[in-house]
Amino acid sequence: MTIAKNLHHIKSNLPEEVTLVAVSKTKPVSDITEAYEAGHRLFGENRIQEMVAKHEEMPKDIEWHMIGHIQRNKVKYMASFVSLIHAVDSLRLLKEINKQALKNNRVIDCLLQIKIASEETKFGLTEVEVTALLASEEFKIFQNIKIIGLMGMATFTSDQEQLQKEFGLLKDIFDNLTLSTENSSLKTLSMGMSDDYPIAIKNGSTMIRVGSSIFGKRACSINL
Ligand SMILES: *Cc1c(COP(=O)(O)O)cnc(C)c1O
């Protein structure tokens, strides 16, 4: 019962306004079931096909979040059930999500990913780009998506000062985007993972994505 214990430990120390996404990528359905039986209903995956397979096997009251980088041609596979897409980083991708959501008669909630890390490999928009996207005429006509916040990934480092700086930057961008449109209203700030979520919460995170601290280490690198 270590998964249940880990979940309980993390949840009992979270402020009320912070939502925990249990990141189950690469982990078997038996692990997700243990978390489910411990009462958890919100899981994050970073590969669409893997999430689809798990969605089919697991009870239908689970909320599935797509937290990984997305290929546009795969959006259709998750459009009928995904409850939040975290890493939207272009108008073209939003357009595809809008199209697939419309086909399924849904409005899909999305977060825009902001690049805060110093590493070249991390995806995301700059503050200038996100501001322009939200103000664009092309964006405003999308009726089947809703932007409910921002997401970011800090640099993979143990340097607390750098983490503080990067999460602080994301919080500032979040606070500066006060504009609301019919299809956007920014309330959710998704930042913080197993190793850095306490510092993310100190900087205003409202949603943390935690994998290895719940399910144990994954076989490969952090992006697997
Ligand atoms: C894997 C992953 C996480 C969770 O990472 P842990 O270090 O295992 O908590 C969070 N966010 C994203 C985008 C991920 O890909």
Side-chain angles (χ1 to χ4, degrees):
M1 294 299 285
T2 54
I3 291 172
K5 229 188 239 167
N6 292 340
L7 262 174
H8 179 74
H9 174 75
I10 293 170
K11 282 186 180 177
S12 61
N13 291 305
L14 284 187
E16 221 177 292
E17 69 279 7
V18 178
T19 301
L20 171 65
V21 180
V23 177
S24 48
K25 62 187 183 190
T26 80
K27 297 295 178 180
V29 161
S30 57
D31 283 4
I32 303 176
T33 300
E34 187 178 333
Y36 183 89
E37 283 170 356
H40 202 70
R41 294 292 181 270
L42 176 45
F43 296 90
E45 290 282 335
N46 74 335
R47 292 200 175 151
I48 292 174
Q49 265 121 337
E50 184 177 337
M51 183 172 79
V52 168
K54 288 171 172 173
H55 166 256
E56 280 166 11
E57 272 192 68
M58 294 294 299
K60 295 299 171 278
D61 61 342
I62 287 178
E63 267 186 59
W64 293 99
H65 286 198
M66 175 42 57
I67 63 170
H69 189 66
I70 295 161
Q71 287 170 277
R72 271 178 299 138
N73 61 351
K74 291 189 181 152
V75 171
K76 56 178 176 281
Y77 302 120
M78 65 175 172
S80 67
F81 71 91
V82 66
S83 71
L84 180 62
I85 300 177
H86 284 237
V88 177
D89 62 356
S90 74
L91 201 62
R92 283 171 83 206
L93 176 57
L94 263 182
K95 191 173 177 177
E96 177 64 15
I97 297 169
N98 187 67
K99 178 177 148 191
Q100 298 299 335
L102 175 62
K103 276 192 187 168
N104 286 277
N105 257 313
R106 300 184 64 209
V107 173
I108 297 181
D109 288 344
C110 298
L111 305 176
L112 294 172
Q113 182 171 6
I114 306 297
K115 181 176 158 64
I116 52 172
S118 56
E119 296 142 335
E120 265 317 303
T121 52
K122 302 255 157 75
F123 299 97
L125 302 162
T126 63
E127 178 167 20
V128 171
E129 288 167 342
V130 74
T131 307
L133 191 158
L134 290 171
S136 71
E137 291 306 318
E138 209 182 347
F139 168 73
K140 286 178 193 157
I141 61 170
F142 296 151
Q143 294 187 338
N144 292 78
I145 51 106
K146 180 149 196 191
I147 303 295
I148 63 161
L150 303 179
M151 175 268 202
M153 283 176 89
T155 303
F156 185 62
T157 177
S158 55
D159 181 343
Q160 301 295 298
E161 238 171 80
Q162 184 170 357
L163 291 171
Q164 170 81 38
K165 222 174 80 190
E166 293 178 1
F167 288 136
L169 168 70
L170 183 50
K171 172 67 165 142
D172 285 345
I173 295 173
F174 181 75
D175 288 342
N176 288 341
L177 289 170
T178 50
L179 167 99
S180 273
T181 60
E182 264 180 42
N183 58 3
S184 74
S185 169
L186 274 48
K187 298 186 186 80
T188 300
L189 186 52
S190 166
M191 59 181 193
M193 312 181 10
S194 290
D195 292 334
D196 58 22
Y197 77 81
I199 208 170
I201 290 172
K202 275 197 202 114
N203 282 278
S205 171
T206 68
M207 184 174 278
I208 59 173
R209 310 175 308 268
V210 177
S212 42
S213 291
I214 297 169
F215 296 105
K217 292 236 172 305
R218 288 176 299 275
C220 251
S221 77
I222 59 150
N223 288 322
L224 229 173

